[in-house]
């Protein structure tokens, strides 16, 4: 037989109390805790994946996700606090590492955070130490630890988004920034925050942090210093009625900033119950402006729709693309909103939408399923009833009531529901859009109720009685009585002929639903049962209770008992196939056990809820297991084989699609449909009319726009003509400039030619002159002439070549200028064409952008006005700061001057001290002279010491007789105690005798009264007897009648049982009298005992008082003796010192003699005080003697006076 396995299918609910309990994994997926698991919920596809918690976990404390969205850290408490890191990119989100506090004991980690590069992890431990841990988590290495607080709590920790070494910590009276350096965490900034309770914070940049407080304040810190603070919302003044009448005092309610999250444009934070505010950063400033308020929408089916708005925001998170803002509340609800839609929404306020279905916010007390529909019904202490669909995983409907719901049962058809409220049991119909009551039963606080499988009966528990009603007639068919305490669970058999119940009295009963008879029973008084189920064949029962075991009961006997360890089982359920049992425990786990039950403890345990499982149900087709718990979560488990296949069904179930609707509702809906159709026709006509009006308006607007366009076209044509004229002007100017350039070029060329010709002519003239000179000096300089001719010819050739090259260059430049002018003409033509095309395009663009520019300029004007105000304010603030700084500089200068004056004064003091030292030397010489005089005084003191010794001996002689007197007083006390005891004994004896005599007197009086009554009764009887005799005497002549009358007299006055009756009456009377006297004597004895105890208490109190006084006297005597000893020791010391002083001649011994003189004076004073104390003790002893002589005992008789 294959083992049956339960697999998580879907979860409804959110676990509250977890720090940072909502995270974004990607744009469509969020992560949140539910029970003892973490859920990966796809918002678009409405599907879930699960990350199970660790075994034997006592609950989650916090969540954290890395910046790269790959790793998830979960803080749990198993045997000790742990942090588990999961890899989210793995399909099953496998565990990567488990971190602990190491050798440091940690109870819990209250919050965590990953570093920007996801390599480091910080965790804040809870009280009383409040230690911050820094791990390199992949190596499980603790890098550093530091204590962040003394009192706590710490609410949030975080890394700087761009610095792994900077950490921010905030909490109650704590706002600290630590820096990791040298394997330690050092506080880098200090800020006095004793009066503030910081609930959250977020980094806005590498140096700016914004924090929120419980007083509704936002504070921005920059580089560890407070930059500015502001209130999230204006303070609301609330007046109470009593205050309005008595006084005019007011108190303010401030919203708590419980969550805050930053994004690129600003940040979002909670602003009291049900409200989130969006703040955006102003341009070129560090200030933020509130732009939008987002509120939680009211619940439609609630008695108080505004109660949803009172939810407190616990966590805020933004999607990676910053498009969606999600929030979780303290009542376990998830909400979301698109930020783009919120900005587009007109007005200041926007509303959240449910991110998933609305779920329970308190303990789920009831759970039920039906046969004909895939529905689940639950009820909770949050006063709501909810109907879920386990096929589509949707909340079908819900409704809130004014009373708490304790139990719920769904009719097999899925059309009716039975709910046990605190005041009544109500049968309701599930309509198309409402849950409506149609029958009420007088069953208060019904903790268990159930429909039969056929639906014709339902059972309701009323304390320790089970009432069975008919579903058709609503009559109370049977009352099943037998339980001594409250019934905790009931279950119908498959054929509805049997009902099984279990209670807190340890009894499991099987009832016949037809006759109401008890078929079988199993009682175990040591166990208080909490859950019971019945097998498909109705022969075996399975029960769980407080004794941590599962019991299989058959034929009034416990066949098997499976121990569950130290875990208490709360509920039990069995599949219809009879193959598997499922057990819910007090730790929130679910256990699957195959049937028949194994000999050894063999089960599969699943981590499910974070609280005790309250109810558990298996659907009719054995496909799903549903569990609910005190953590307000609903789990749906898929029941499969170990091979991964679902359980085989006998028949394929086809669920019904019928719904109920009342006739009045249907008529109303039909009327509404008709009204809506009529309204649609009216709206269509109105729309047609409005469309025609709009067409007319649009035509007018088109005409206006065409006119404007024509005007603009005309203006553009005019501009075009102007541009053409400018173009012609530029062409003419260009032609003129070309002609001028050509003219200049020609002139320059002619000038160059003329200048060159002139130079050539000059050179030729020089050449002729040189030839003449050559002829003159030809004879003398033939050789020089030859060389000069060669040099001249060469120079001429070079000059000719250079000028020819220059001419060619000038000709080339002329050709280039001509080509460039032609190219410029072509470019100018192309430029004109492009300009015409661009002008046409610009005309169109200018028309489109003109309106946008107008709007932007208006916005810019408003923004500039606001910026002007803020800049002026900042300018004034800066001016004030500059003035303050100048004042501080002046103060510092004054302090420097003061310090310089102090230095001068100290130098003067040093010179004065030097002079004083010289004076002291003279004083020392004078002191030595006085020492000689003190030696003389020492001799006189020695004489006084001898006198003191004589006085001490005299004191000892006086103390001895005092001690003798105290001993005599003690003996007298003992004698007095003995006499007191004797007097008490005699007293009690006399009182007993008096009580006996009083009793005898009372008994004699009663006997006399009885005798008197008897005499009176006998007199009456005698008179009656005389009268009867007188009547008999009348018949003395008639003997027969006389005889009859005498017999009647005998019967009337004499009976045979008179003698026996008298004896019995006497016996009973004596017994009664004995009992009465005995009771009387017992009362007297108790009163005497009470008096005795009182007297003994009074005597003991007096005795203890005397003893205390005696002890005080003894202590004082001992003190006097000790003083005497000290005096003798001092005298001995004085003698030794005096002898030492006589032998020595140093100044130190003389000083000692002086001190001895002072001590002798002290001893005189102490002796005088001792004499005073002795006189006081004498007076006290006389007073005590007088009290003892004058004291009288508390009993009635007086004691004789004591004789000394």
């Amino acid at each position: 037989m294959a083992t049956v396995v339960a697999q998580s299918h879907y979860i409804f609910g959110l676990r509250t109390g977890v720090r940072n309990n909502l995270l974004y994994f990607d744009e469509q997926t969020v992560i949140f805790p539910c029970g003892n698991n973490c859920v990966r919920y796809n918002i678009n596809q409405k599907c879930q994946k699960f990350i199970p918690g660790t075994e034997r976990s006592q609950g989650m404390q916090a969540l954290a996700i890395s910046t790269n969205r790959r790793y998830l850290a979960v803080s749990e408490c198993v045997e000790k606090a742990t942090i588990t890191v999961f890899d989210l990119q793995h399909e099953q989100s496998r565990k990567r590492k488990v971190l602990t506090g190491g050798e440091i004991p940690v109870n819990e980690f209250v919050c965590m955070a990953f570093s920007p590069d996801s390599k480091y992890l910080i965790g804040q431990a809870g009280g009383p130490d409040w230690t911050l841990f820094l791990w390199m988590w992949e190596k499980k290495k603790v890098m550093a630890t530091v204590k962040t607080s003394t009192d706590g709590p710490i609410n949030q920790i975080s890394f700087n988004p761009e610095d792994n070494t900077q950490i921010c910590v905030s909490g109650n009276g704590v706002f600290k920034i630590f820096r990791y350096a040298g394997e330690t965490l050092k506080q880098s900034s200090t800020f006095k925050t004793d009066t503030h309770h910081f609930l959250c914070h977020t980094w806005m940049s590498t140096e700016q942090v914004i924090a929120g407080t419980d007083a509704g304040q936002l504070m921005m810190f920059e580089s560890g210093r407070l930059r500015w603070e502001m209130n999230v919302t204006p303070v609301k003044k609330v007046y109470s009625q009593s205050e309005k009448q008595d006084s005019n005092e007011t108190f303010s309610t401030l919203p708590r900033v419980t969550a805050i999250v930053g994004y690129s444009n600003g940040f979002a934070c909670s602003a009291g119950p049900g409200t989130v505010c969006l703040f955006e950063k102003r341009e070129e400033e560090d200030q933020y402006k509130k732009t939008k308020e987002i509120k939680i929408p009211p619940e439609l089916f609630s008695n108080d729709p505004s109660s949803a708005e009172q939810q407190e925001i616990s966590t805020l998170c933004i999607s990676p693309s910053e498009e969606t803002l999600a929030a979780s509340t303290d009542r376990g609800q998830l909400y979301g909103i698109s930020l783009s839609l919120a900005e587009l929404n007109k007005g200041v306020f926007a509303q959240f939408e449910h991110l998933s279905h609305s779920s329970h916010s308190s303990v789920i007390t009831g759970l039920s399923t039906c046969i004909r529909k895939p529905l689940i019904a639950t009820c909770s202490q949050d006063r709501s009833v909810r109907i879920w669909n386990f096929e589509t995983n949707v909340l079908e409907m819900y409704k809130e009531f004014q009373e708490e719901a304790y139990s719920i049962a769904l009719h097999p058809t899925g059309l009716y529901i039975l709910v046990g409220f605190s005041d009544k049991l109500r049968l309701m119909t599930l309509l198309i859009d409402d849950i409506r009551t149609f029958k009420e039963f007088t069953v208060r606080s019904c903790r268990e109720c159930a429909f039969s499988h056929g639906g014709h009966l339902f059972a309701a528990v009323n304390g320790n009685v089970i009432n069975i009603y008919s579903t058709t007639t609503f009559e109370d068919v049977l009352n099943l009585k037998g339980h001594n305490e409250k019934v905790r669970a009931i279950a119908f058999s498959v054929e509805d002929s049997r009902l099984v119940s279990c209670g807190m009295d340890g009894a499991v009963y099987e009832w016949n639903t037809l006759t109401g008879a008890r078929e079988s029973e199993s009682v175990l008084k040591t166990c208080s049962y909490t859950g019971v189920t019945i097998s498909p064949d109705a022969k075996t029962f399975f029960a769980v209770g407080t004794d941590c075991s599962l019991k299989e009961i058959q034929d009034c006997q416990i066949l098997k008992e499976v121990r569950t360890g130290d875990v208490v089982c709360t509920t039990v359920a069995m599949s219809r196939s009879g193959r598997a049992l499922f057990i819910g425990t007090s730790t929130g786990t679910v256990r699957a056990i195959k049937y028949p039950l194994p000999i050894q403890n063999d089960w599969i345990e699943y981590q499910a809820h974070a609280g005790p499982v309250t109810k558990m149900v298996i659907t009719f087709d054995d496909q799903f297991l549903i569990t609910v718990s005190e953590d307000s979560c609903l789990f749906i488990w898929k029941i499969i084989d170990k091979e991964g296949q679902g359980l085989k069904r006998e028949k394929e179930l086809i669920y019904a699609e019928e719904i109920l609707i009342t006739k009045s509702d249907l008529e109303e809906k039909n009327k509404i449909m008709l009204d809506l159709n009529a309204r649609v026709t009216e709206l269509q006509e109105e729309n047609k009319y409005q469309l025609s009006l709009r067409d007319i308006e649009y035509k007018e607007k088109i005409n206006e726009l065409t006119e404007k366009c024509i005007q603009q076209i005309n203006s553009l044509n005019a501009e075009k003509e102007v541009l053409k004229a400018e173009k012609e002007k530029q062409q003419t100017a260009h032609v003129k400039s070309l002609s001028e350039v050509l003219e200049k070029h020609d002139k320059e060329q002619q000038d160059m030619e003329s200048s060159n010709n002139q130079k050539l002519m000059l050179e030729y003239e020089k050449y002729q002159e040189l030839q003449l000179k050559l002829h003159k000096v030809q004879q003398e300089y033939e050789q020089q002439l030859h060389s000069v001719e060669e040099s001249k010819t060469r120079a001429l050739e070079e000059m000719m070549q250079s000028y020819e090259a220059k001419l060619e260059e000038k000709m080339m430049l002329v050709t280039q200028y001509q080509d460039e002018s032609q190219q410029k003409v072509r470019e100018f033509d192309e430029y004109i064409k492009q300009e015409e095309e661009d002008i046409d395009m610009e005309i169109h663009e200018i028309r489109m952008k003109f309106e946008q520019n107008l709007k932007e300029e208006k916005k810019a004007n408003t923004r500039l006005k606001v910026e002007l105000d803020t800049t002026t304010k900042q300018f004034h603030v800066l001016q004030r700061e500059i003035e303050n700084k100048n004042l501080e500089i002046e103060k510092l200068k004054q302090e420097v001057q003061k310090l310089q004056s102090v230095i001068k004064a100290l130098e003067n003091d040093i010179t004065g001290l030097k002079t004083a030292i010289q004076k002291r030397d003279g004083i020392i010489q004078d002191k030595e002279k006085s020492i000689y005089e003190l030696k003389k005084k020492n001799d006189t003191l020695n004489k006084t010491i001898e006198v003191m010794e004589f006085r001490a001996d005299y004191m000892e002689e006086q103390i001895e007789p005092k001690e003798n007197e105290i001993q005599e007083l003690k003996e007298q006390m003992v004698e007095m105690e003995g006499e007191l005891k004797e007097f008490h004994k005699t007293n009690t004896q006399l009182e007993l005798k008096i009580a006996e005599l009083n009793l005898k007197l009372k008994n004699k009086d009663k006997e006399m009264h009885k005798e008197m009554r008897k005499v009176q009764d006998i007199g009456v009887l005698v008179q009656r007897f005389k009268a009867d005799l007188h009547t008999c005497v009348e018949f003395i002549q008639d003997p027969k009648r006389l005889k009859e009358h005498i017999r009647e007299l005998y019967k009337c006055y004499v009976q045979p049982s008179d003698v026996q009756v008298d004896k019995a009456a006497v016996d009973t009377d004596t017994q009664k009298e004995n009992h009465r006297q005995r009771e009387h004597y017992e009362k007297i004895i108790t009163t005497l005992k009470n008096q005795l105890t009182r007297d003994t208490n009074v005597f003991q109190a007096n005795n203890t008082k005397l003893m205390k006084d005696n002890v005080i006297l003894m202590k004082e005597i001992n003190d006097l003796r000790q003083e005497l000893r000290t005096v003798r020791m001092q005298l001995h010391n004085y003698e030794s010192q005096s002898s030492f002083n006589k032998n020595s001649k140093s100044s130190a011994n003389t000083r000692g003699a002086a001190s001895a003189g002072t001590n002798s004076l002290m001893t005189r004073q102490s002796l005088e005080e001792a004499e005073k104390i002795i006189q006081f003790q004498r007076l006290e002893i006389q007073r005590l003697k007088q009290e003892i002589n004058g004291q009288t005992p508390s009993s009635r008789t007086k004691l004789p006076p004591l004789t000394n």
Side-chain angles (χ1 to χ4, degrees), residues 587-778:
T587 59
T589 59
V590 175
R591 294 180 178 180
I593 305 174
K594 63 182 178 182
Y595 186 76
L597 295 177
I599 297 168
Q600 298 178 348
N601 293 344
D602 184 17
W603 58 69
I604 303 170
E605 190 168 18
Y606 304 99
Q607 298 298 316
H609 296 277
V613 179
T614 54
K615 296 291 177 185
M616 180 185 291
V617 171
I618 297 173
T619 58
F620 185 75
D621 56 357
D622 280 353
Q623 296 298 307
F624 296 101
L625 169 72
I626 297 106
T627 60
V628 293
S629 169
E630 290 183 5
D631 62 358
S632 69
C633 294
L634 184 145
F635 276 56
I636 300 173
W637 307 78
K638 181 78 173 172
I639 302 173
I640 57 173
D641 291 335
K642 261 197 173 179
E643 298 171 357
Q645 297 179 355
L647 296 180
K648 293 181 180 179
R649 309 180 189 180
E650 295 177 1
K651 291 181 181 179
E652 194 70 26
L653 267 177
I654 299 171
Y655 292 116
E657 295 182 355
E658 297 88 1
I659 54 170
L660 286 179
I661 187 166
T662 60
K663 188 177 179 181
S664 58
D665 289 343
L666 204 145
E667 287 174 354
E668 283 179 4
K669 287 190 176 181
N670 288 329
K671 285 180 182 178
I672 290 165
M673 287 284 284
L674 292 169
D675 293 338
L676 289 170
N677 287 324
R679 181 66 179 160
V680 165
T681 53
E682 288 176 1
L683 287 170
Q684 285 177 351
E685 290 176 356
E686 286 179 2
N687 284 329
K688 286 179 182 178
Y689 178 68
Q690 287 177 358
L691 282 168
S692 62
L693 290 173
R694 284 181 183 177
D695 288 336
I696 294 163
E697 289 176 0
Y698 286 139
K699 284 178 182 177
E700 290 176 355
K701 287 180 180 178
I702 287 163
N703 291 326
E704 290 175 358
L705 288 169
T706 50
E707 288 176 358
K708 287 180 181 178
C709 288
I710 289 162
Q711 289 175 0
Q712 288 176 357
I713 288 161
N714 292 326
S715 63
L716 289 168
N717 287 326
E719 288 176 0
K720 189 180 176 182
E721 289 175 355
V722 170
L723 288 168
K724 282 181 180 179
E726 288 178 355
K727 180 189 168 185
E728 289 174 356
K729 287 179 182 178
Q730 286 177 0
Q731 280 180 350
T732 53
H734 187 64
V735 170
K736 285 180 181 178
S737 63
L738 267 173
S739 61
E740 287 174 357
V741 167
L742 290 170
E743 287 175 357
K744 285 179 182 178
H745 184 67
D746 292 333
K747 285 179 180 178
E748 286 176 357
Q749 192 175 2
Q750 288 175 1
D751 292 333
M752 290 288 285
E753 287 177 354
S754 61
S755 63
N756 288 325
N757 289 325
Q758 286 175 0
K759 286 177 181 179
L760 281 168
M761 290 297 289
L762 290 168
E763 289 293 330
Y764 185 71
E765 287 175 356
K766 287 177 182 179
Y767 178 67
Q768 286 177 354
E769 288 175 357
L770 287 168
Q771 279 181 354
L772 291 169
K773 287 178 181 179
L774 269 170
H775 287 294
K776 287 177 181 179
V777 290
Q778 193 172 8

Side-chain angles (χ1 to χ4, degrees), residues 205-218:
S205 65
T206 55
E207 294 182 351
Q208 292 181 353
V209 183
I210 293 179
T213 68
D214 62 346
Q217 288 182 320
L218 287 173

